[in-house]
Amino acid sequence: MDNTLLVRAAAAEALDADPAAVVTLLADLDGLTCNRSTFRQGADGAPPHFHTRASELFFVLDGSLEVLLGQEVVVLERGDFLVVPPGVPHAFGAAGGADADVLFVFTPGMGRFDYYRLLDRVQRGQANAEEIAASQDRFDNHYVDSPVWKAARAR
């Protein structure tokens, strides 16, 4: 059976409730979930969290992305590639003074598009943050506190 997937840019679902951070949904399969996200200068992407089952891959298409990796903050530049394995706390957002255009891949995939849609509904005031907290196990997205990330983003 042919499992080829082609997503035309014009047909991709874009979640744009927050114009400073637009998420374009590309693929949500058993083996992987993929999206492209664009962040305006200094815009937050995701707060500190970890995954128990999925690795998260980052490929910076353009700009600069600030990333928390455990207890360290690094900046990824255009062309940089990062794999965050399960269990490693991480967070990300556009680096100060730069936009960021990033391709994200999760493997294995697990129906994450509904998670992104939930985030979009929260931004629109159609859902509340408690729904995100309640979805952590379903979407393998477990939030943690990080004083390191708070300090880095406060600059």
Side-chain angles (χ1 to χ4, degrees):
M1 179 178 196
D2 185 2
N3 291 326
T4 301
L5 173 67
L6 172 62
V7 179
R8 299 282 185 191
E13 181 180 356
L15 304 175
D16 58 2
D18 178 358
V22 177
V23 177
T24 303
L25 306 178
L26 299 172
D28 207 12
L29 310 169
D30 286 339
L32 65 87
T33 297
C34 182
N35 73 79
R36 180 178 182 174
S37 296
T38 55
F39 307 102
R40 299 261 185 242
Q41 291 183 17
D44 289 325
H49 66 284
F50 67 92
H51 312 290
T52 60
R53 298 179 301 268
S55 291
E56 186 170 357
L57 293 70
F58 298 63
F59 182 73
V60 179
L61 300 166
D62 201 12
S64 299
L65 187 73
E66 190 171 37
V67 180
L68 169 72
L69 292 172
Q71 295 299 312
E72 179 184 4
V73 176
V74 299
V75 176
L76 305 180
E77 303 290 345
R78 181 176 187 259
D80 288 349
F81 177 73
L82 169 69
V83 177
V84 179
V88 175
H90 57 285
F92 53 87
D99 292 348
D101 186 4
V102 185
L103 183 70
F104 292 93
V105 178
F106 294 85
T107 184
M110 54 183 311
R112 288 183 189 279
F113 278 10
D114 284 342
Y115 172 73
Y116 294 116
R117 292 177 182 125
L118 172 59
L119 294 176
D120 193 65
R121 287 195 313 277
V122 168
Q123 285 287 327
R124 295 178 189 280
Q126 301 166 346
N128 60 53
E130 289 78 26
E131 292 178 64
I132 295 171
S135 74
Q136 291 184 87
D137 288 333
R138 177 178 172 206
F139 297 116
D140 189 25
N141 213 52
H142 307 275
Y143 294 99
V144 296
D145 188 42
S146 173
V148 172
W149 184 244
K150 286 178 186 173
R153 294 307 277 180
R155 288 184 266 127

